[in-house]
Amino acid sequence: MKVSVIGTGYVGLVTAACLADMGNAVAAVDLSQEKVANLRAGRIPIHEPGLQPLVERNLRAGRLRFTDSHAEGIADAEVIFIAVGTPSQEDGSADLRHVLDVAGTIGRLLTRAAVIVDKSTVPVGTADQVRRTVQQALDARGVQIGFDVVSNPEFLKEGAAVADFQRPDRIIVGTDSPRAIEVMKELYGPFSRSQDKFIVMDTRSAELSKYAANAMLATRISFMNEIAAVAEATGADIESVRRGIGADPRIGPLFLYAGAGFGGSCFPKDLRALLHLGHEASVPLELLQSVVNVNERQKTLLFRRIDAFFKGQLKDRRVAVWGLAFKPETDDVREAPSLSLIVDLVRAGARVTAYDPQATETAQGALQLLLSPQEMQRVQMHPSARAAAEGADVLALMTEWKEFRSPDFAWLAATLGSRAVFDGRNQYRPEALAAHGLAYFGIGRPAPAGRPPAVA
């Protein structure tokens, strides 16, 4: 099948590469000539396991090509994916300018009947806007070309996006067109051979499904962070609580990990968009507002604990930070809790030495937008975890990369001046650190012997 994917960001690039790998002829469109040149050379702009070889393989086979021309990308396409960004506006709503600009461009260039697929995460009613925009452009040309608009939300986890696309747990297709349903079934058939994973619904329900899924997952995280605060106040251990409730099949074990808060490109943005949608529809979403509030408070928790540990005397203290990405297996630092911690530490007078296996460069760029050049002098990125921790006063773990799971605690005890570890992801066993004379501060874990309870 001839497919066009407009937008080569995270979703668009994964979509294009995975569809090409199934034998489709895929043209991926991006207006940045520099980005297109890099992609043609097999250089991808993001870290995503499995994506690099997938792009390289399909480039060599001729199934995947990149272009900065909409006309070239759309020509003869049977299916056209819209996979451009929908960033938050000041009021929290999703900015649809890029989506609707692409829709207008499709209408101006369309030469044959096609299925137009909204792959971007968009508010309820966007498919109707896309349909009107395409039709207006066709009317302005004075031509009649049949087309359908489908809502096909993505459910890709950063760090596992290729696997999620190739082995989806569901494929939601929002449309009332029998023809569009058949086209989408043919396109996604190779990814749904073992069982029928198609869920067909109207476009508005499909659009809301994406927001509802992310809101539910974010709610579980904030819920566990609130229960973690109760655990600390009462002497319970949130890790035991997690295992206890996760064994209930009605609840399940996923997304029940207390920690330093969630970040990334999806949960925060989609929660803001859903809250704005509720406001516009005169439906107060009080639970989701609380989820946001809990998360914003949680992202400051480790700073408050480190500040309390040093009794408010952070000036020239050195804090090592392990992990900058908002989650493992990605270089994405958008709204990452690590950035909040570093900014607060620097502004309190501390120095930060940081390391991440993949996100050092993206974090450096993000921090330069948050801190002044003078403040940035108090932040140093290091090439290894050991280099970042050596000679620091304390260590803060912010991302649960595998290489951080079993550090040399004896070496940490010898190198950390204040012999304390602040575990923002509950990766370590308190007793393992205590055996080496390290004070341990987790999230919802018992306070170390001889130390005051952690600051809530």
Side-chain angles (χ1 to χ4, degrees):
M1 192 175 293
K2 295 179 179 178
V3 178
S4 174
V5 178
I6 302 179
T8 60
Y10 185 83
V11 173
L13 188 55
V14 172
T15 298
C18 289
L19 289 175
D21 207 45
M22 291 297 110
N24 298 290
V26 181
V29 183
D30 198 289
L31 295 182
S32 168
Q33 293 182 343
E34 180 183 2
K35 188 175 185 181
V36 167
N38 284 329
L39 288 168
R40 285 173 174 170
R43 295 188 293 269
I44 66 173
I46 57 175
H47 172 74
E48 180 60 41
L51 184 57
Q52 181 82 42
L54 197 65
V55 169
E56 292 175 349
R57 179 168 69 245
N58 286 283
L59 278 171
R60 288 194 302 268
R63 293 185 296 265
L64 176 62
R65 59 191 174 91
F66 296 98
T67 177
D68 60 3
S69 166
H70 281 119
E72 181 183 336
I74 291 172
D76 298 325
E78 301 164 77
V79 181
I80 304 170
F81 283 87
I82 300 176
V84 294
T86 54
S88 291
Q89 301 191 94
E90 289 187 7
D91 62 358
S93 62
D95 186 345
L96 293 178
R97 285 178 297 174
H98 301 306
V99 170
L100 298 179
D101 284 348
V102 169
T105 299
I106 293 171
R108 290 189 293 273
L109 297 174
L110 201 62
T111 59
R112 56 159 295 168
V115 174
I116 300 169
V117 183
D118 281 339
K119 198 66 174 172
S120 304
T121 300
V122 293
V124 177
T126 300
D128 295 334
Q129 294 186 59
V130 169
R131 187 178 295 107
R132 285 194 299 270
T133 303
V134 174
Q135 189 60 58
Q136 287 168 0
L138 291 172
D139 291 344
R141 292 168 56 195
V143 297
Q144 293 185 353
I145 301 175
F147 70 93
D148 294 299
V149 176
V150 170
S151 175
N152 173 222
E154 55 86 12
F155 297 97
L156 307 178
K157 299 185 296 294
E158 291 195 43
V162 172
D164 285 347
F165 196 103
Q166 293 174 335
R167 295 181 291 278
D169 45 25
R170 79 278 207 196
I171 301 168
I172 291 181
V173 174
T175 182
D176 58 3
S177 165
R179 174 184 173 276
I181 293 171
E182 290 307 309
V183 169
M184 296 299 285
K185 282 186 174 181
E186 180 182 351
L187 183 64
Y188 278 113
F191 306 103
S192 184
R193 298 190 65 180
S194 61
Q195 58 180 326
D196 186 4
K197 299 175 182 179
F198 271 76
I199 305 175
V200 179
M201 59 187 72
D202 61 279
T203 57
R204 290 179 174 243
S205 296
E207 290 163 341
L208 185 55
S209 293
K210 168 64 177 181
Y211 279 134
N214 280 351
M216 172 63 80
L217 297 176
T219 298
R220 286 169 70 99
I221 295 171
S222 281
F223 171 80
M224 288 304 291
N225 282 332
E226 286 222 307
I227 297 299
V230 176
E232 289 179 1
T234 58
D237 188 335
I238 193 63
E239 287 298 290
S240 297
V241 174
R242 174 183 63 80
R243 292 192 296 271
I245 65 175
D248 187 330
R250 297 170 300 175
I251 297 172
L254 301 180
F255 285 83
L256 292 182
Y257 290 86
F262 57 77
S265 63
C266 294
F267 287 5
K269 176 176 72 73
D270 292 353
L271 281 167
R272 289 191 292 266
L274 190 50
L275 285 167
H276 181 270
L277 181 65
H279 176 75
E280 291 292 300
S282 299
V283 179
L285 300 176
E286 296 174 1
L287 173 61
L288 296 187
Q289 185 61 63
S290 295
V291 169
V292 172
N293 295 344
V294 168
N295 192 59
E296 288 304 304
R297 186 174 69 244
Q298 200 72 12
K299 287 166 74 170
T300 69
L301 180 59
L302 250 63
F303 167 75
R304 288 183 278 121
R305 290 188 171 171
I306 295 171
D307 188 52
F309 179 83
F310 288 113
K311 300 179 181 178
Q313 302 300 313
L314 276 171
K315 183 172 175 55
D316 292 328
R317 290 289 187 178
R318 183 176 153 194
V319 179
V321 175
W322 282 359
L324 298 167
F326 85 95
K327 63 180 291 188
E329 302 300 338
T330 182
D331 60 354
D332 193 345
V333 299
R334 283 174 287 185
E335 305 203 40
S338 63
L339 300 186
S340 298
L341 173 64
I342 292 171
V343 168
D344 288 343
L345 287 170
V346 167
R347 290 181 176 163
R351 293 180 294 121
V352 174
T353 51
Y355 165 72
D356 187 281
Q358 293 293 335
T360 298
E361 186 175 340
T362 52
Q364 185 89 20
L367 287 168
Q368 286 172 348
L369 299 175
L370 299 170
L371 297 170
S372 69
Q374 185 176 4
E375 289 172 327
M376 279 299 296
Q377 293 178 8
R378 305 185 74 82
V379 180
Q380 288 185 321
M381 300 295 175
H382 286 265
S384 70
R386 195 178 184 94
E390 189 168 11
D393 289 295
V394 297
L395 169 66
L397 176 73
M398 297 302 291
T399 314
E400 60 274 32
W401 287 94
K402 289 180 181 178
E403 69 175 83
F404 301 148
R405 289 184 181 176
S406 299
D408 184 341
F409 291 126
W411 178 83
L412 282 174
T415 198
L416 295 177
S418 295
R419 299 168 67 89
V421 174
F422 295 81
D423 184 357
R425 297 301 171 191
N426 284 352
Q427 285 292 286
Y428 304 134
R429 295 183 301 111
E431 57 271 23
L433 278 77
H436 293 281
L438 286 163
Y440 175 84
F441 298 91
I443 310 292
R445 312 298 301 276
R451 297 280 184 180
V455 176

